[in-house]
Coordinates of all heavy atoms in Angstrom, one line a residue:
M1 N 19.8 0.7 -34.8 CA 20.4 -0.7 -35.3 C 21.7 -1.1 -34.6 O 22.4 -1.8 -35.2 CB 20.6 -0.6 -36.9 CG 19.3 -0.3 -37.6 SD 18.2 -1.7 -37.6 CE 18.9 -2.7 -38.9
M2 N 21.9 -0.5 -33.4 CA 23.0 -0.9 -32.7 C 22.8 -2.1 -31.9 O 23.8 -2.6 -31.3 CB 23.6 0.3 -31.9 CG 24.1 1.4 -32.7 SD 25.6 0.9 -33.7 CE 26.8 0.6 -32.4
F3 N 21.6 -2.6 -31.5 CA 21.4 -3.6 -30.8 C 21.8 -5.0 -31.5 O 21.4 -5.1 -32.6 CB 19.9 -3.8 -30.4 CG 19.5 -2.7 -29.4 CD1 18.7 -1.5 -30.0 CD2 19.9 -2.6 -28.1 CE1 18.3 -0.6 -29.1 CE2 19.5 -1.5 -27.3 CZ 18.7 -0.6 -27.8
A4 N 22.5 -5.9 -30.8 CA 23.0 -7.0 -31.4 C 21.8 -8.1 -31.4 O 21.1 -8.2 -30.5 CB 24.0 -7.6 -30.5
E5 N 21.7 -8.6 -32.5 CA 20.5 -9.6 -32.8 C 20.8 -10.9 -32.3 O 20.2 -11.8 -32.3 CB 19.9 -9.4 -34.2 CG 19.2 -8.2 -34.4 CD 18.9 -8.3 -36.0 OE1 18.7 -9.3 -36.5 OE2 18.8 -7.1 -36.4
S6 N 22.1 -11.1 -32.1 CA 22.7 -12.4 -31.8 C 22.5 -12.7 -30.3 O 22.9 -13.9 -29.9 CB 24.3 -12.5 -32.1 OG 24.9 -11.7 -31.5
R7 N 21.9 -11.8 -29.6 CA 21.7 -12.2 -28.1 C 20.6 -13.2 -27.8 O 20.7 -13.8 -26.8 CB 21.6 -10.8 -27.2 CG 22.7 -10.0 -27.2 CD 22.5 -9.0 -26.2 NE 23.8 -8.2 -25.7 CZ 24.1 -7.7 -24.7 NH1 23.1 -7.7 -23.7 NH2 25.1 -7.0 -24.5
G8 N 19.8 -13.2 -28.6 CA 18.6 -14.3 -28.6 C 17.8 -14.0 -27.4 O 17.3 -14.9 -26.8
M9 N 17.5 -12.8 -27.1 CA 16.7 -12.5 -26.0 C 15.1 -12.9 -26.2 O 14.4 -13.1 -25.3 CB 16.7 -10.9 -25.6 CG 17.9 -10.5 -25.1 SD 18.3 -11.1 -23.4 CE 17.0 -10.0 -22.4
S10 N 14.8 -13.0 -27.5 CA 13.4 -13.4 -27.7 C 13.0 -14.8 -27.3 O 11.8 -15.2 -27.1 CB 13.1 -13.1 -29.3 OG 13.8 -13.9 -30.0
S11 N 14.0 -15.6 -27.2 CA 13.8 -17.0 -27.0 C 13.7 -17.3 -25.3 O 13.2 -18.4 -24.8 CB 14.8 -18.0 -27.5 OG 16.0 -17.6 -27.0
T12 N 14.0 -16.2 -24.6 CA 13.9 -16.4 -23.2 C 13.0 -15.5 -22.4 O 13.4 -14.9 -21.4 CB 15.4 -16.3 -22.6 OG1 15.9 -15.1 -23.0 CG2 16.2 -17.4 -23.1
I13 N 11.9 -15.2 -23.0 CA 10.9 -14.5 -22.4 C 10.3 -15.3 -21.2 O 10.0 -16.4 -21.5 CB 9.8 -14.0 -23.3 CG1 9.4 -15.1 -24.3 CG2 10.3 -12.6 -24.1 CD1 8.2 -14.7 -25.0
S14 N 10.1 -14.7 -20.1 CA 9.7 -15.3 -18.9 C 8.2 -15.1 -18.8 O 7.7 -14.2 -18.2 CB 10.4 -14.9 -17.7 OG 10.3 -13.4 -17.5
L15 N 7.4 -15.9 -19.5 CA 6.0 -15.8 -19.3 C 5.5 -16.5 -17.9 O 6.1 -17.5 -17.7 CB 5.3 -16.4 -20.4 CG 5.3 -15.5 -21.7 CD1 4.8 -16.3 -22.9 CD2 4.5 -14.2 -21.6
P16 N 4.6 -16.0 -17.2 CA 4.2 -16.7 -16.2 C 3.5 -18.1 -16.5 O 2.8 -18.0 -17.6 CB 3.1 -15.8 -15.4 CG 2.7 -14.8 -16.5 CD 3.9 -14.8 -17.4
K17 N 3.4 -18.9 -15.5 CA 2.7 -20.2 -15.9 C 1.6 -20.4 -15.1 O 1.7 -20.2 -14.0 CB 3.7 -21.4 -15.5 CG 4.5 -21.8 -16.7 CD 5.1 -23.3 -16.4 CE 6.1 -23.8 -17.3 NZ 6.8 -25.0 -16.8
C18 N 0.5 -21.0 -15.7 CA -0.8 -21.2 -15.0 C -0.5 -22.3 -13.9 O 0.2 -23.3 -14.3 CB -1.7 -21.6 -16.0 SG -3.2 -22.2 -15.1
S19 N -0.8 -22.1 -12.7 CA -0.7 -23.0 -11.5 C -1.4 -24.2 -11.7 O -1.3 -25.2 -11.0 CB -0.8 -22.4 -10.2 OG 0.1 -21.2 -10.2
C20 N -2.6 -24.2 -12.6 CA -3.4 -25.3 -12.6 C -3.0 -26.2 -13.9 O -2.9 -27.4 -13.7 CB -4.8 -24.8 -13.0 SG -5.4 -23.6 -11.7
C21 N -2.8 -25.8 -15.0 CA -2.5 -26.5 -16.2 C -1.1 -26.4 -16.7 O -0.7 -26.9 -17.7 CB -3.5 -26.1 -17.4 SG -3.4 -24.5 -17.8
N22 N -0.3 -25.6 -15.9 CA 1.1 -25.4 -16.4 C 1.3 -24.8 -17.8 O 2.5 -25.0 -18.2 CB 2.0 -26.7 -16.2 CG 2.2 -26.9 -14.8 OD1 2.6 -26.0 -13.9 ND2 2.1 -28.2 -14.3
R23 N 0.4 -24.2 -18.3 CA 0.6 -23.5 -19.7 C 1.1 -22.1 -19.4 O 0.8 -21.5 -18.4 CB -0.7 -23.6 -20.4 CG -0.8 -24.9 -21.3 CD -1.9 -24.8 -22.2 NE -3.2 -24.5 -21.4 CZ -4.4 -25.1 -22.0 NH1 -4.4 -25.7 -23.1 NH2 -5.5 -24.9 -21.2
H24 N 1.8 -21.7 -20.5 CA 2.3 -20.3 -20.3 C 1.0 -19.3 -20.5 O 0.2 -19.7 -21.3 CB 3.3 -20.0 -21.4 CG 4.6 -20.6 -21.1 ND1 5.3 -20.2 -20.0 CD2 5.3 -21.6 -21.6 CE1 6.5 -21.0 -19.9 NE2 6.5 -21.7 -21.0
I25 N 1.1 -18.3 -19.7 CA 0.0 -17.3 -19.8 C 0.4 -16.2 -20.6 O 1.5 -15.6 -20.4 CB -0.3 -16.8 -18.3 CG1 -1.0 -18.0 -17.6 CG2 -1.4 -15.6 -18.4 CD1 -1.3 -17.6 -16.1
M26 N -0.5 -15.9 -21.6 CA -0.2 -14.9 -22.6 C -0.6 -13.6 -21.9 O -1.4 -13.4 -21.2 CB -1.0 -15.1 -23.9 CG -0.5 -16.3 -24.6 SD 1.1 -16.3 -25.1 CE 1.6 -17.9 -24.9
P27 N 0.1 -12.4 -22.3 CA -0.1 -11.2 -21.8 C -1.6 -10.7 -21.9 O -2.0 -9.9 -21.0 CB 0.8 -10.2 -22.4 CG 1.9 -11.2 -23.0 CD 1.3 -12.4 -23.2
N28 N -2.3 -11.1 -23.0 CA -3.6 -10.7 -23.2 C -4.7 -11.7 -22.6 O -5.7 -11.5 -22.9 CB -3.8 -10.3 -24.7 CG -3.6 -11.7 -25.5 OD1 -3.1 -12.7 -25.0 ND2 -4.0 -11.6 -26.8
D29 N -4.2 -12.7 -21.9 CA -5.1 -13.7 -21.3 C -5.8 -12.9 -20.2 O -5.2 -12.2 -19.3 CB -4.3 -14.8 -20.9 CG -5.1 -16.1 -20.9 OD1 -6.3 -16.0 -20.8 OD2 -4.4 -17.2 -20.8
K30 N -7.0 -13.4 -20.0 CA -7.7 -12.8 -18.9 C -7.5 -13.6 -17.6 O -8.5 -14.4 -17.2 CB -9.3 -12.8 -19.2 CG -9.6 -11.7 -20.2 CD -11.1 -11.5 -20.1 CE -11.6 -10.5 -21.2 NZ -11.5 -10.9 -22.6
C31 N -6.3 -13.6 -17.2 CA -5.9 -14.5 -16.1 C -6.0 -13.8 -14.7 O -6.2 -12.5 -14.7 CB -4.6 -14.9 -16.3 SG -3.3 -13.6 -16.3
V32 N -6.0 -14.5 -13.8 CA -5.8 -13.9 -12.3 C -4.6 -14.3 -11.7 O -4.1 -15.3 -11.9 CB -7.1 -14.2 -11.5 CG1 -8.4 -13.6 -12.1 CG2 -7.3 -15.8 -11.4
K33 N -4.0 -13.4 -10.9 CA -2.8 -13.8 -10.1 C -3.1 -13.4 -8.7 O -3.8 -12.3 -8.3 CB -1.6 -13.2 -10.8 CG -1.4 -11.8 -10.5 CD 0.0 -11.5 -10.9 CE 0.4 -10.1 -10.6 NZ -0.2 -9.1 -11.6
F34 N -2.6 -14.2 -7.7 CA -2.9 -13.8 -6.4 C -1.8 -14.7 -5.6 O -1.3 -15.6 -6.0 CB -4.3 -14.1 -5.9 CG -4.8 -15.5 -6.1 CD1 -4.6 -16.5 -5.2 CD2 -5.3 -15.8 -7.4 CE1 -4.9 -17.8 -5.6 CE2 -5.7 -17.1 -7.7 CZ -5.5 -18.2 -6.7
N35 N -1.5 -14.2 -4.3 CA -0.6 -15.0 -3.4 C -1.3 -16.1 -2.9 O -2.5 -16.0 -2.7 CB -0.1 -14.0 -2.3 CG 1.0 -13.1 -2.9 OD1 0.8 -11.9 -3.2 ND2 2.2 -13.5 -3.2
C36 N -0.6 -17.0 -2.5 CA -1.1 -18.3 -1.8 C -1.7 -18.0 -0.6 O -1.2 -17.2 0.2 CB 0.1 -19.3 -1.8 SG -0.4 -20.6 -0.7
P37 N -3.0 -18.3 -0.5 CA -3.8 -18.0 0.8 C -3.2 -18.7 2.1 O -3.5 -18.3 3.2 CB -5.1 -18.4 0.5 CG -5.0 -19.3 -0.6 CD -3.9 -19.0 -1.4
N38 N -2.3 -19.6 1.8 CA -1.8 -20.4 3.0 C -0.4 -19.9 3.4 O -0.2 -19.5 4.6 CB -1.7 -21.9 2.6 CG -1.4 -22.8 3.8 OD1 -2.0 -22.7 4.8 ND2 -0.4 -23.6 3.5
C39 N 0.5 -19.8 2.4 CA 1.9 -19.3 2.9 C 2.1 -17.9 2.4 O 3.0 -17.2 3.1 CB 2.9 -20.3 2.2 SG 3.0 -20.2 0.3
G40 N 1.3 -17.5 1.5 CA 1.6 -16.0 1.0 C 2.7 -15.7 0.3 O 2.9 -14.5 0.0
T41 N 3.6 -16.6 0.1 CA 4.8 -16.3 -0.6 C 4.8 -16.7 -2.1 O 5.2 -16.1 -2.9 CB 6.0 -17.0 0.0 OG1 5.6 -18.5 0.0 CG2 6.3 -16.6 1.4
D42 N 4.0 -17.7 -2.5 CA 4.0 -18.1 -3.9 C 2.9 -17.2 -4.6 O 1.8 -17.1 -4.0 CB 3.7 -19.5 -3.9 CG 4.5 -20.1 -5.1 OD1 5.8 -20.1 -5.0 OD2 3.9 -20.7 -6.0
L43 N 3.2 -17.0 -5.8 CA 2.2 -16.1 -6.6 C 1.6 -17.2 -7.5 O 2.1 -18.0 -8.2 CB 3.0 -15.2 -7.6 CG 2.0 -14.1 -8.1 CD1 1.4 -13.3 -6.9 CD2 2.9 -13.2 -8.9
I44 N 0.2 -17.3 -7.4 CA -0.6 -18.4 -8.1 C -1.1 -17.6 -9.3 O -1.7 -16.5 -9.3 CB -1.8 -18.8 -7.1 CG1 -1.2 -19.3 -5.9 CG2 -2.6 -19.9 -7.9 CD1 -0.6 -20.6 -5.9
W45 N -1.0 -18.3 -10.5 CA -1.4 -17.8 -11.8 C -2.5 -18.7 -12.2 O -2.4 -19.9 -12.1 CB -0.4 -17.6 -12.8 CG 0.6 -16.6 -12.5 CD1 1.7 -16.6 -11.8 CD2 0.4 -15.2 -13.1 NE1 2.3 -15.4 -11.8 CE2 1.7 -14.5 -12.7 CE3 -0.4 -14.6 -14.1 CZ2 1.8 -13.2 -13.1 CZ3 0.0 -13.4 -14.5 CH2 0.9 -12.6 -14.0
R46 N -3.6 -18.2 -12.6 CA -4.7 -18.9 -13.2 C -5.1 -18.4 -14.5 O -5.3 -17.3 -14.6 CB -5.9 -18.9 -12.3 CG -5.9 -20.0 -11.3 CD -7.0 -19.9 -10.4 NE -7.9 -21.2 -10.3 CZ -9.1 -21.2 -9.8 NH1 -9.5 -20.2 -9.3 NH2 -9.7 -22.4 -9.8
C47 N -5.1 -19.3 -15.6 CA -5.4 -18.8 -16.8 C -6.9 -18.7 -16.9 O -7.6 -19.1 -16.0 CB -4.8 -19.7 -17.9 SG -5.6 -21.3 -18.0
E48 N -7.2 -18.2 -18.1 CA -8.7 -17.9 -18.2 C -9.5 -19.2 -18.2 O -10.6 -19.2 -17.6 CB -9.1 -17.1 -19.5 CG -10.4 -16.6 -19.8 CD -10.5 -15.9 -21.1 OE1 -9.4 -15.7 -21.8 OE2 -11.6 -15.5 -21.3
S49 N -9.1 -20.2 -18.9 CA -9.9 -21.4 -19.1 C -9.9 -22.2 -17.7 O -10.9 -22.8 -17.4 CB -9.1 -22.4 -20.1 OG -7.8 -22.5 -19.8
C50 N -8.8 -22.1 -16.8 CA -8.9 -22.7 -15.6 C -9.7 -22.1 -14.7 O -10.3 -22.5 -13.7 CB -7.5 -22.9 -15.0 SG -6.3 -24.1 -15.9
R51 N -9.9 -20.7 -14.8 CA -10.6 -19.9 -14.0 C -12.1 -20.3 -14.1 O -13.0 -20.4 -13.3 CB -10.4 -18.4 -14.1 CG -10.9 -17.4 -13.1 CD -10.2 -16.1 -13.3 NE -10.5 -15.6 -14.6 CZ -11.5 -14.7 -14.9 NH1 -12.3 -14.4 -14.0 NH2 -11.7 -14.3 -16.2
E52 N -12.4 -20.5 -15.5 CA -13.8 -20.8 -15.8 C -14.2 -22.1 -15.4 O -15.3 -22.4 -15.1 CB -14.1 -20.4 -17.3 CG -14.1 -19.0 -17.7 CD -14.3 -18.8 -19.1 OE1 -14.3 -19.6 -19.9 OE2 -14.3 -17.6 -19.6
A53 N -13.2 -22.9 -15.5 CA -13.4 -24.4 -15.2 C -13.3 -24.6 -13.7 O -13.6 -25.7 -13.2 CB -12.5 -25.3 -16.0
A54 N -12.8 -23.6 -12.9 CA -12.7 -23.7 -11.5 C -11.8 -24.9 -11.1 O -12.1 -25.7 -10.2 CB -14.0 -23.8 -10.7
R55 N -10.6 -25.0 -11.8 CA -9.7 -26.0 -11.6 C -9.0 -25.7 -10.3 O -8.7 -24.6 -9.9 CB -8.7 -26.2 -12.7 CG -9.4 -26.8 -14.0 CD -8.4 -27.4 -14.8 NE -9.2 -27.9 -16.2 CZ -9.0 -27.2 -17.2 NH1 -8.3 -26.1 -17.3 NH2 -9.7 -27.6 -18.3
K56 N -8.5 -26.8 -9.7 CA -7.7 -26.7 -8.6 C -6.3 -26.2 -8.8 O -5.7 -26.5 -9.9 CB -7.5 -28.0 -7.8 CG -8.9 -28.2 -6.9 CD -8.7 -29.4 -6.0 CE -9.9 -29.7 -5.2 NZ -9.7 -30.8 -4.3
Y57 N -5.7 -25.3 -7.9 CA -4.3 -24.9 -8.2 C -3.5 -25.5 -7.0 O -4.1 -25.8 -5.9 CB -4.2 -23.3 -8.2 CG -4.7 -22.7 -7.0 CD1 -3.9 -22.6 -5.7 CD2 -6.1 -22.2 -6.8 CE1 -4.3 -22.0 -4.6 CE2 -6.5 -21.5 -5.7 CZ -5.6 -21.4 -4.5 OH -6.1 -20.9 -3.4
V58 N -2.3 -25.7 -7.2 CA -1.4 -26.2 -6.2 C -0.2 -25.2 -6.0 O 0.4 -24.9 -6.9 CB -0.8 -27.6 -6.5 CG1 0.0 -28.1 -5.3 CG2 -1.9 -28.5 -6.8
C59 N 0.0 -24.8 -4.8 CA 1.0 -24.0 -4.5 C 2.4 -24.6 -4.5 O 2.4 -25.7 -3.9 CB 0.9 -23.2 -3.1 SG 2.3 -22.3 -2.6
S60 N 3.3 -24.0 -5.3 CA 4.6 -24.8 -5.5 C 5.5 -24.6 -4.3 O 6.4 -25.3 -4.1 CB 5.3 -24.2 -6.7 OG 5.6 -22.9 -6.5
S61 N 5.1 -23.8 -3.2 CA 6.0 -23.6 -2.0 C 5.5 -24.5 -0.9 O 6.3 -25.1 -0.3 CB 5.8 -22.2 -1.6 OG 6.5 -21.3 -2.6
C62 N 4.1 -24.6 -0.7 CA 3.6 -25.3 0.4 C 2.7 -26.3 0.1 O 2.1 -27.1 0.9 CB 3.0 -24.4 1.4 SG 1.4 -23.7 0.8
N63 N 2.5 -26.6 -1.2 CA 1.7 -27.7 -1.8 C 0.2 -27.5 -1.4 O -0.6 -28.4 -1.3 CB 2.0 -29.2 -1.4 CG 3.2 -29.5 -2.2 OD1 3.5 -29.1 -3.4 ND2 4.3 -30.2 -1.6
F64 N -0.2 -26.2 -1.0 CA -1.6 -26.0 -0.7 C -2.4 -26.1 -1.9 O -2.1 -25.5 -2.9 CB -1.7 -24.6 0.0 CG -3.1 -24.2 0.3 CD1 -3.7 -24.6 1.3 CD2 -3.7 -23.3 -0.7 CE1 -5.0 -24.2 1.7 CE2 -5.1 -22.8 -0.3 CZ -5.6 -23.4 0.8
Q65 N -3.6 -26.9 -1.8 CA -4.4 -26.9 -2.9 C -5.8 -26.1 -2.6 O -6.2 -26.1 -1.5 CB -4.9 -28.4 -3.1 CG -3.7 -29.2 -3.7 CD -4.2 -30.5 -4.1 OE1 -5.4 -30.8 -4.4 NE2 -3.3 -31.5 -4.1
G66 N -6.1 -25.4 -3.5 CA -7.3 -24.5 -3.4 C -8.2 -24.4 -4.6 O -7.7 -24.6 -5.7
P67 N -9.4 -24.0 -4.4 CA -10.1 -23.8 -5.7 C -10.0 -22.5 -6.3 O -9.5 -21.5 -5.8 CB -11.5 -23.7 -5.0 CG -11.4 -23.3 -3.7 CD -10.1 -23.7 -3.2
Ligands
ZN1 ZN1 -4.7 -23.0 -16.7
ZN2 ZN1 1.6 -21.6 -0.4

């Protein structure tokens, strides 16, 4: 019980965002993540629904669009 509860760490959890719909990806989501095939630096996240709908993603580093 020595941990300070006033730090408010729970409000700043860094969940990854889906590169297609910009929604936060939950840890139990059946998402996929891969590096951008064009520049290789950006990590693309795709949530389960976007993967099934085959939505396009946009790389935030080089604006590459891919299926
Ligand atoms: Zn999505
Ligand atoms: Zn890229």
Side-chain angles (χ1 to χ4, degrees):
M1 295 293 279
M2 289 299 288
F3 290 105
E5 290 178 23
S6 57
R7 287 196 170 205
M9 290 290 283
S10 59
S11 60
T12 53
I13 42 169
S14 56
L15 286 170
K17 264 192 186 174
C18 174
S19 303
C20 306
C21 62
N22 282 320
R23 271 188 298 209
H24 287 296
I25 290 172
M26 297 299 141
N28 58 350
D29 205 338
K30 288 196 182 71
C31 62
V32 288
K33 70 169 193 283
F34 52 93
N35 283 100
C36 170
N38 189 48
C39 67
T41 52
D42 217 62
L43 198 59
I44 310 282
W45 286 85
R46 272 178 125 192
C47 70
E48 189 177 0
S49 58
C50 286
R51 199 166 54 98
E52 287 178 358
R55 291 203 185 98
K56 281 188 175 179
Y57 58 83
V58 181
C59 172
S60 57
S61 294
C62 66
N63 286 325
F64 173 81
Q65 288 187 23

